[in-house]
Amino acid sequence: MSEGYDMLMNVNAKKLEWKFQVYVVRIWKNPNRYNQKEVNSIEMVLQDMKGERIQASINKGLFKKWRGFFEEFKMYIMSNFIVVDKMEKIKTTRNRWTLNFSHRTVVVRVENPNSNHPFQYLSYCDLFGIIHCSLHIIGEVVGKEDPRDIITSKGKETKRMVVVIADLDNNNLDCVLFGDMVDQIVPHLEDGRVEPLIVVLQFFKPSRWNEKVSVQSHFDVSKIHVNPDMKEVHDFRKSLLDSVTSNSVRISQVSGHGVQSGAAELKRGGVVVKSIEDALNSTEEGPIWIGETIVSINAGNNDWFYKSCRKCPKKVETPIGNRYECSKCGHTHGSASLRYKIEVMAYDGTGSITMLMWDRETTQLIGRQAEQIKDEDCLEGEGYPPTLDNMMDKKLLFKINVKTANINKHDQVYTIMKICDDEDIVEKNCPMEFISNPSDVLTVCIFYIYCCININ
């Protein structure tokens, strides 16, 4: 690049006479927050020859002048911008600043520019700690979840689907797609596919849950390219086929949430289900499968749920004004989401154990979201909605996490990681000590309640 052009890394708000030679690597329409059918601005991500990026914005007063002028992956010489610091904007780059087009902005398209590919691919292992949605990822689709209809926190109907992609080192990554992206990829996921399906994810946002990172499409900024005609994709496919020559089906069905379910894990075999006594006496950290029956729900009126962010499971505290702000992902919402967090006691004939059950597992057992049962009338003597009693007196298999604090007896509550309520799998895998007589369960319940009364 010639010396007459400014570098994006040097942008600041102290002058207006900026002149850049850049590629438009992404362009999208940003809807009005109060009326989704109305376009509020046209947004772009620009990249210079050194790979630095910045977001640029065209407000609706300039739509007529620039409508249809820009194309993705084309180079332009641009000059004269207003540099602003818009903290509320979607973070597509690491650059603090945004370039606002004005009536004095001048743009000239560069014909036959030097090659400069817009994709900066990240390794799956490098996703921890990234908070902005500037990820570009390439991979082969190796798993799919059935698409489902959802309603957003703002009441909008849309679709959601999880696909699993793999890199050349066989590292897997869950990708959550929303809206039109679901319709875009579904036709390529036909049963029995033996040819690799390669996708490029552009401007996806990372999400972290239970120490696992996934990525998801992020409003209008994200884009998916399915089997695109790109050099990187051709090279990826060649390396893939050179290392594995197989005509077997390449895309498998995965369980909900893009995470292997408890039933699926047990079906694979190699899992030893232990007794509660074994779990309580364990001296090794890590997961253990146990078979048991829930005999008590240790919950009051307001301690079977917690208020969380609507974008991630992080607990949100007292609202600031009329808004909740998440300290983890930074999103603000007009109302918090309710998620399950329930302490239960279970028994199997060798002993009893106290466990903490979170939202996903509780929803699996009772079939309803926390917000759906919040206003149920509690039964006399109980402080929680009666729907929660659907968990009681069932034979279940639990995958729990044994921590150092559990081994040292400082913490007597074990966290549930997965559950399996499939009757056939439970009967096949449960230990001999697993309780089978309902009257024994009732006896344990009465004994537990008796102990609680006397302690209090």
Side-chain angles (χ1 to χ4, degrees):
M1 182 176 292
S2 64
E3 297 180 358
Y5 300 111
D6 296 304
M7 295 289 100
L8 294 179
M9 68 173 63
N10 297 325
V11 168
N12 58 70
K14 296 181 179 181
K15 73 173 187 177
L16 302 175
E17 295 79 18
W18 296 99
K19 188 176 182 180
F20 308 107
Q21 188 177 45
V22 290
Y23 282 89
V24 175
V25 298
R26 184 74 180 100
I27 184 169
W28 71 97
K29 295 178 181 178
N30 186 35
N32 188 301
R33 62 184 301 182
Y34 304 107
N35 182 1
Q36 293 293 307
K37 296 182 180 180
E38 179 182 342
V39 178
N40 188 60
S41 64
I42 296 175
E43 304 294 325
M44 292 183 288
V45 176
L46 310 178
Q47 177 177 307
D48 63 24
M49 295 299 289
K50 290 188 175 181
E52 294 294 329
R53 292 178 174 177
I54 198 169
Q55 188 164 328
S57 181
I58 304 174
N59 64 45
K60 56 186 177 181
L62 297 173
F63 285 177
K64 185 176 181 180
K65 179 178 180 180
W66 298 111
R67 182 180 291 116
F69 183 86
F70 295 100
E71 294 183 52
E72 287 185 349
F73 314 142
K74 300 298 183 182
M75 177 181 275
Y76 301 87
I77 296 174
M78 305 181 179
S79 57
N80 301 331
F81 292 94
I82 302 172
V83 180
V84 295
D85 186 358
K86 289 189 176 181
M87 301 302 295
E88 77 278 8
K89 296 185 72 64
I90 299 172
K91 292 296 183 182
T92 56
T93 76
R94 293 172 295 181
N95 202 310
R96 167 187 174 184
W97 305 103
T98 297
L99 303 178
N100 271 15
F101 276 63
S102 73
H103 290 84
R104 296 183 177 181
T105 300
V106 178
V107 181
V108 178
R109 180 166 169 172
V110 178
E111 301 297 337
N112 303 317
N114 297 327
S115 60
N116 181 32
H117 207 279
F119 297 102
Q120 300 173 347
Y121 297 109
L122 278 178
S123 165
Y124 298 0
C125 301
D126 294 334
L127 301 182
F128 283 89
I130 299 176
I131 59 173
H132 51 80
C133 56
S134 63
L135 301 182
H136 289 173
I137 299 170
I138 186 172
E140 179 195 8
V141 178
V142 295
K144 63 176 181 176
E145 173 191 321
D146 290 331
R148 57 189 177 94
D149 298 324
I150 62 170
I151 299 178
T152 68
S153 59
K154 296 182 179 180
K156 180 182 177 181
E157 295 183 359
T158 187
K159 298 177 182 179
R160 179 187 187 276
M161 182 180 186
V162 174
V163 297
V164 182
I165 66 173
D167 62 16
L168 295 175
D169 295 322
N170 293 320
N171 297 310
N172 286 0
L173 180 68
D174 292 346
C175 309
V176 186
L177 309 177
F178 293 99
D180 294 340
M181 287 190 187
V182 176
D183 296 328
Q184 184 180 349
I185 198 171
V186 163
H188 301 275
L189 300 175
E190 68 272 11
D191 294 334
R193 184 186 182 98
V194 296
E195 290 295 321
L197 178 64
I198 299 173
V199 295
V200 172
L201 308 179
Q202 189 181 14
F203 290 100
F204 271 56
K205 183 177 178 65
S207 175
R208 185 171 179 176
W209 169 240
N210 277 348
E211 299 304 315
K212 181 178 181 180
V213 174
S214 61
V215 296
Q216 63 182 35
S217 60
H218 195 60
F219 301 107
D220 299 285
V221 63
S222 299
K223 191 172 184 177
I224 183 171
H225 303 264
V226 182
N227 273 340
D229 185 13
M230 300 177 181
K231 181 181 183 301
E232 293 91 339
V233 174
H234 297 318
D235 293 343
F236 187 96
R237 179 180 285 105
K238 184 178 185 302
S239 298
L240 189 68
L241 296 178
D242 286 346
S243 60
V244 179
T245 57
S246 172
N247 291 322
S248 61
V249 176
R250 306 190 72 94
I251 303 177
S252 61
Q253 190 72 24
V254 297
S255 62
H257 304 284
V259 178
Q260 186 184 43
S261 67
E265 182 174 330
L266 291 161
K267 282 182 178 179
R268 290 179 57 189
V271 175
V272 177
V273 180
K274 299 184 178 182
S275 67
I276 289 179
E277 183 179 25
D278 292 333
L280 295 176
N281 293 329
S282 176
T283 57
E284 295 183 2
E285 293 183 76
I288 292 179
W289 277 98
I290 56 177
E292 56 197 57
T293 299
I294 295 177
V295 295
S296 178
I297 298 174
N298 304 345
N301 187 34
N302 291 313
D303 58 3
W304 56 271
F305 68 90
Y306 71 99
K307 293 182 178 181
S308 78
C309 170
R310 288 193 173 274
K311 293 291 291 184
C312 73
K314 176 69 175 179
K315 181 179 180 180
V316 292
E317 306 295 342
T318 306
I320 302 174
N322 61 348
R323 306 287 294 178
Y324 286 89
E325 182 175 350
C326 179
S327 60
K328 179 180 179 181
C329 67
H331 284 273
T332 59
H333 310 274
S335 61
S337 178
L338 299 187
R339 297 179 189 266
Y340 292 113
K341 180 185 177 183
I342 306 176
E343 188 177 293
V344 298
M345 174 167 273
Y347 177 75
D348 73 346
T350 69
S352 59
I353 190 171
T354 303
M355 303 180 297
L356 185 62
M357 186 181 301
W358 292 93
D359 189 73
R360 183 179 63 191
E361 291 72 31
T362 308
T363 302
Q364 179 181 338
L365 285 183
I366 69 174
R368 300 183 69 187
Q369 301 288 339
E371 293 179 343
Q372 295 175 304
I373 68 172
K374 174 68 169 62
D375 297 324
E376 287 184 0
D377 292 330
C378 297
L379 300 177
E380 184 177 355
E382 295 181 347
Y384 56 82
T387 295
L388 294 181
D389 282 332
N390 292 342
M391 299 188 296
M392 299 284 285
D393 304 333
K394 293 181 179 179
K395 289 183 178 180
L396 301 166
L397 298 177
F398 294 86
K399 186 178 184 179
I400 62 172
N401 184 35
V402 179
K403 302 175 295 184
T404 301
N406 300 132
I407 297 172
N408 296 335
K409 310 302 180 184
H410 300 313
D411 187 353
Q412 298 182 2
V413 180
Y414 293 75
T415 300
I416 296 172
M417 302 170 67
K418 293 181 181 180
I419 61 171
C420 176
D421 56 354
D422 184 290
E423 294 181 0
D424 293 335
I425 296 177
V426 172
E427 290 294 338
K428 182 179 179 180
N429 289 274
C430 67
M432 295 298 295
E433 299 89 348
F434 196 111
I435 189 167
S436 59
N437 189 339
S439 63
D440 290 342
V441 175
L442 179 61
T443 301
V444 174
C445 286
I446 295 173
F447 177 73
Y448 174 74
I449 295 172
Y450 173 82
C451 291
C452 291
I453 293 173
N454 281 276
I455 290 173
N456 293 332

